[in-house]
Amino acid sequence: MPQYAIEHNDRRGVVTLAGDLTAALVPGLQSALKGVLSQGADELVFDLAQAAMLDSSGMGLLIAASNSLARNGGRIRVINVSADILRLLQSMRLAGRLNASGRPDAEVRHG
């Protein structure tokens, strides 16, 4: 059973994770995202509200999705990011590129 759900409405795909974005999840999710992009989506929103961890494979997936969308004038957004994941993305200078925003209840320092 997938640890994610994808809603595709018009030109927007919303990916809701039911856990961490790690190497175990990436292959299946990558395949599903190719399908969404091939149907003309120009925006992907990743909801990480239930993710406590993001590993290098997960970051690679987000970067690849961002690159694919940017080639066609689209964009990615990563929302409901935990404070820890947001700090990681900021330290790697990826938070802006991925349009990452924290959880409303998280104590997030931007820098």
Side-chain angles (χ1 to χ4, degrees):
M1 181 164 114
Q3 295 293 307
Y4 60 86
I6 300 177
E7 292 179 39
H8 182 224
N9 301 322
D10 198 26
R11 301 188 59 83
R12 179 189 213 194
V14 179
V15 181
T16 304
L17 297 179
D20 300 331
L21 183 51
T22 60
L25 183 65
V26 167
L29 182 54
Q30 186 175 34
S31 178
L33 290 174
K34 285 180 183 177
V36 171
L37 293 173
S38 72
Q39 293 176 26
D42 60 8
E43 180 181 31
L44 285 177
V45 178
F46 287 81
D47 186 341
L48 301 188
Q50 296 186 40
M53 190 171 115
L54 172 68
D55 70 6
S56 60
S57 295
M59 280 188 269
L61 176 89
L62 294 174
I63 292 166
S66 175
N67 290 342
S68 293
L69 288 161
R71 277 193 292 272
N72 297 316
R75 73 178 189 144
I76 188 173
R77 290 189 309 133
V78 183
I79 61 171
N80 294 318
V81 179
S82 71
D84 288 340
I85 292 175
L86 188 57
R87 278 192 292 275
L88 173 65
L89 294 174
Q90 288 169 336
S91 72
M92 298 187 76
R93 301 191 188 277
L94 293 173
R97 178 178 178 181
L98 299 175
N99 298 297
S101 61
R103 293 183 183 154
D105 60 344
E107 292 182 23
V108 178
R109 286 182 291 206
H110 297 279

